[in-house]
Amino acid sequence: MAGGQGNRFGSPTKFLQRVCGEIIIVRLLKQLRAICSHVLLVLSKHTLSELKSLCSNYEIDCIELCGENYVKDLAIILDTYIKLPALVLAADIVARESKVIAKFVEEALSEPAEVVTAITSRSGGAEPIGLSLFKAPTGSWRNIVLPPNLITDIDEVKDLKQAEKVCSNNA
C-alpha cells in the first residue's frame, strides 16, 4: 500500500527516504520478492508520478486507487484485485530482513483468525505497523507482537532513527 497522503510525516512519498543505505520501498520490494509469488503495488494520485517507474523496473503489477482512505482502498484491493490469503504491507515498513516478514506470515497462517495484524511496542503502548495477513476480507482478528528491533514503520520523521536501528541490530 503506497497511496496514502503521509500527513504525519509531511509527505506522501515518505517511503522514498533512505534508510540503511537504501530507499525504503526499494528495500521492501526486494524483501517481498524473496518471499512472495506476486507483488501488487497500490498507488494513488499522491504517489503515482514518483513510483510509476518502480512498476516496470521491478516487474511488479501496479494499480492506482483514490488514496483518500486506507480502509476504503484496502477493501477494494481485497474484494477485486488479489486472491486470499494475502499479505498486505504499508510501503513505509523497514524490516531487518525478509525472514522477519516470512516468520510473521508463517505464524499468521497458523492462527485461526481471518485477519492477523502485526503490532509492536511504541511510546508506551502497542500499535499496528502496517503488516497484515488476510485469509478473508473480514472476520475474527488477532494481533501478533513483533519486537521493534526487527521491524518498524515510518509514521513521522523521528521514526527514521528507529528504522536505522532496525537495520543495524542496535535497537
Side-chain angles (χ1 to χ4, degrees):
M1 301 292 282
Q5 298 178 49
N7 292 329
R8 290 177 286 178
F9 190 85
S11 169
T13 56
K14 59 186 173 180
F15 40 75
L16 294 177
Q17 297 293 312
R18 283 190 156 308
V19 171
C20 310
E22 291 184 277
I23 295 171
I24 293 170
I25 194 168
V26 170
R27 177 185 171 86
L28 184 59
L29 287 172
K30 288 177 186 176
Q31 290 174 334
L32 291 175
R33 298 276 313 241
I35 61 172
C36 296
S37 60
H38 181 251
V39 176
L40 174 67
L41 186 59
V42 181
L43 309 171
S44 75
K45 63 184 177 189
H46 310 294
T47 60
L48 181 64
S49 62
E50 298 288 339
L51 293 178
K52 199 170 189 177
S53 65
L54 282 179
C55 303
S56 57
N57 292 349
Y58 287 87
E59 298 178 3
I60 56 174
D61 293 327
C62 292
I63 60 167
E64 181 184 0
L65 295 179
C66 72
E68 301 303 323
N69 182 295
Y70 182 90
V71 174
K72 183 178 178 181
D73 283 355
L74 180 59
I76 292 168
I77 294 297
L78 293 173
D79 186 49
T80 309
Y81 291 98
I82 58 177
K83 293 189 322 185
L84 299 175
L87 179 65
V88 177
L89 295 95
D92 60 358
I93 287 178
V94 177
R96 179 169 296 157
E97 55 190 344
S98 60
K99 289 183 210 175
V100 173
I101 300 168
K103 186 169 172 46
F104 166 79
V105 170
E106 182 181 327
E107 189 174 338
L109 286 171
S110 71
E111 288 291 334
E114 285 85 8
V115 180
V116 182
T117 298
I119 61 172
T120 190
S121 60
R122 191 173 181 169
S123 302
E127 63 181 60
I129 56 171
L131 171 61
S132 300
L133 184 98
F134 288 84
K135 299 175 198 171
T138 61
S140 60
W141 197 290
R142 164 97 162 85
N143 290 327
I144 294 176
V145 180
L146 297 179
N149 65 328
L150 295 180
I151 192 165
T152 194
D153 70 319
I154 310 298
D155 290 331
E156 301 174 19
V157 173
K158 66 179 177 139
D159 297 330
L160 293 171
K161 189 174 185 178
Q162 173 62 29
E164 288 290 343
K165 290 179 181 179
V166 167
C167 300
S168 67
N169 278 336
N170 295 327

